[in-house]
Amino acid sequence: MQAIIDKIKNKERINQEEALKLYDLELLELGELADNIRKEKFGKKSYFNINRHINPTNICKDTCKFCAYSATRKNPNPYAMSSAEIVEIAKNAARLGAKEVHIVSAHNKDVGLNWYLDSFSKIKEAIKDIHIKALTAAEVNFLATEYNLSFQEVIELMIKSGVDSMPGGGAEIFDEKVRDKICKGKVSSKDWLKIHEIWHSKGRQSNATMLFGHIESRANRIDHMNRLRELQDKTGGFNAFIPLVYQRENNYLKVEKFLTANEILKTYAIARIFLDNIPHIKAYWATSTINLALIAQEFGCDDLDGTIQKESIQSAAGAASANGIKLDEFISLIKNSGFIPVQRDSLYNELKIY
Ligand code: SF4
């Protein structure tokens, strides 16, 4: 173990086997290693943005076992917003100070390709300086398959319609065997990575998630991070890595043992150490709880996502994010935990230091 610790202190890259071994380290010792890297990169700054999540439809052709959001799973209330409704929500969000709309949906075969794209161009027409983060690689894959387009063509249409960056959703866990059990039929790991590679080749940035705490092993998590690290070495297009804690309610995945805070914090810390080429590690409070996200600031995380305003996907499975969090409350929570709240834009330019 000492050889791995020395490597980390000497800023040498660790391999997958060494990253896995880090789980055996005592939590606070591991946390300190990750915290030293975080401090060197960002000091005590903790980033967040003022954003609005919009989830325009929950009608989905896919059947992911962990999903509590889709109306084809356990959600009894199917819906699809009109373009006008989506634009109205974005306008209201901008009036309330949102700089970013984060738009992700289910894979709805009935609404048509233009429903997805028109909403983006109408938002851009109505609100000039809004950043649109939209369409996960899973949605890109769905649109390409459904409308007989290449990934390249869907991505060009996204750019033409005003999408600025891609969210990191749909990655779940890249290991093919686990993926088959939890979300068979959804975008493959290979295609998820391919879509982000094409997006990055256009000079655009994106994020990457990892859903953990279900049936995956620790080794599966490290393998997931390794595939991202390899792509990032090629493209440099990922801004942030976002480990999403699995939410247990209202779904068909039978998970008996849930993650401890210790395991979640260790995973954040290992991500900070292993992903030496992805700048930001996000503790997405909607899935970790706000209290654990605040603690995660001491375990390598430098980003707490944002105020959210409203969220439907994680909250359907039990997360406390349905109505977001108030800005002044968010700021004082970060301050009281000993960190400096920094409002950022979607590409991590600093807008305001509190
Ligand atoms: S996670 Fe997404 S793709 Fe899977 S069933 Fe739910 S809405 Fe559909």
Side-chain angles (χ1 to χ4, degrees):
M1 184 64 87
Q2 192 53 46
I4 306 174
I5 295 174
D6 291 344
K7 257 179 128 174
I8 296 168
K9 287 187 174 162
N10 293 329
K11 299 188 182 136
E12 287 170 47
R13 180 169 269 198
I14 58 166
N15 62 33
Q16 287 191 71
E17 205 183 309
E18 291 164 333
L20 190 55
K21 196 111 192 28
L22 286 177
Y23 275 106
D24 298 336
L25 207 55
E26 193 271 324
L27 176 66
L28 295 183
E29 204 178 344
L30 178 61
E32 197 182 341
L33 290 170
D35 190 42
N36 287 340
I37 301 172
R38 181 228 202 270
K39 273 197 210 122
E40 194 169 309
K41 289 182 190 250
F42 307 109
K44 290 296 240 180
K45 286 179 176 173
S46 274
Y47 295 95
F48 71 96
N49 69 353
I50 302 180
N51 60 352
R52 169 63 146 97
H53 284 225
I54 308 177
N55 307 121
T57 180
N58 67 346
I59 298 166
C60 193
K61 73 149 199 57
D62 278 304
T63 52
C64 305
K65 281 208 174 124
F66 57 81
C67 181
Y69 168 65
S70 164
T72 42
R73 304 274 74 196
K74 288 194 173 183
N75 192 333
N77 305 307
Y79 70 85
M81 297 174 185
S82 67
S83 271
E85 278 175 284
I86 299 167
V87 177
E88 208 41 47
I89 293 170
K91 279 175 55 189
N92 282 336
R95 260 181 239 122
L96 293 170
K99 303 286 180 216
E100 170 193 294
V101 280
H102 180 138
I103 308 176
V104 295
S105 273
H107 305 159
N108 189 333
K109 286 160 89 85
D110 305 328
V111 287
L113 177 64
N114 285 338
W115 175 85
Y116 279 88
L117 299 171
D118 284 356
S119 318
F120 306 143
S121 29
K122 285 180 187 151
I123 289 172
K124 269 288 153 81
E125 267 166 42
I127 320 157
K128 291 284 171 274
D129 57 351
I130 198 88
H131 180 104
I132 302 183
K133 182 184 282 178
L135 295 184
T136 65
E139 289 174 278
V140 172
N141 176 71
F142 159 68
L143 294 174
T145 314
E146 191 64 21
Y147 300 101
N148 213 8
L149 298 165
S150 65
F151 296 150
Q152 182 92 16
E153 285 169 323
V154 176
I155 283 170
E156 277 159 15
L157 288 171
M158 285 162 69
I159 292 174
K160 210 166 139 210
S161 311
V163 175
D164 296 292
S165 67
M166 265 180 74
E172 322 311 355
I173 273 282
F174 289 145
D175 178 86
E176 282 73 10
K177 284 200 190 108
V178 177
R179 206 170 176 82
D180 253 17
K181 286 189 189 138
I182 65 170
C183 57
K184 197 175 171 63
K186 198 171 181 166
V187 63
S188 69
S189 308
K190 204 165 141 261
D191 284 344
W192 190 98
L193 291 160
K194 183 85 222 151
I195 289 163
H196 281 263
E197 187 174 357
I198 299 171
W199 182 255
H200 295 167
S201 76
K202 306 280 177 198
R204 304 282 173 142
Q205 295 173 355
S206 66
N207 289 336
T209 58
M210 172 180 79
L211 184 69
F212 72 116
H214 42 88
I215 58 167
E216 89 292 351
S217 64
R218 288 171 166 176
N220 294 147
R221 292 177 210 155
I222 304 295
D223 163 65
H224 186 97
M225 292 186 220
N226 189 53
R227 296 194 208 191
L228 291 172
R229 191 170 77 172
E230 283 177 354
L231 179 56
Q232 181 75 341
D233 277 342
K234 272 169 85 178
T235 67
F238 289 120
N239 260 332
F241 176 62
I242 313 165
L244 301 171
V245 180
Y246 165 71
Q247 303 297 302
R248 61 182 79 170
E249 290 176 21
N250 305 323
N251 70 36
Y252 288 99
L253 198 59
K254 301 261 177 292
V255 175
E256 300 201 336
K257 246 178 114 192
F258 297 109
L259 286 179
T260 58
N262 185 302
E263 187 76 6
I264 295 170
L265 292 173
K266 280 189 172 181
T267 304
Y268 287 145
I270 292 170
R272 166 57 76 200
I273 295 164
F274 186 75
L275 292 173
D276 54 0
N277 56 0
I278 298 185
H280 301 281
I281 306 294
K282 185 185 287 192
Y284 183 49
W285 65 266
T287 69
S288 68
T289 74
I290 189 71
N291 290 342
L292 200 63
L294 293 167
I295 297 168
Q297 296 173 108
E298 317 238 16
F299 288 80
C301 296
D302 64 287
D303 188 300
L304 299 184
D305 195 68
T307 47
I308 296 178
Q309 288 188 14
K310 196 164 178 62
E311 194 277 337
S312 307
I313 297 177
Q314 303 293 346
S315 52
S321 48
N323 295 312
I325 189 165
K326 289 206 171 65
L327 179 62
D328 47 357
E329 189 188 345
F330 200 53
I331 289 166
S332 50
L333 284 170
I334 297 173
K335 277 190 176 167
N336 291 341
S337 62
F339 287 82
I340 305 163
V342 179
Q343 188 193 334
R344 60 165 175 84
D345 67 13
S346 306
L347 304 178
Y348 288 87
N349 298 302
E350 293 184 4
L351 300 178
K352 185 170 177 183
I353 300 177
Y354 288 85

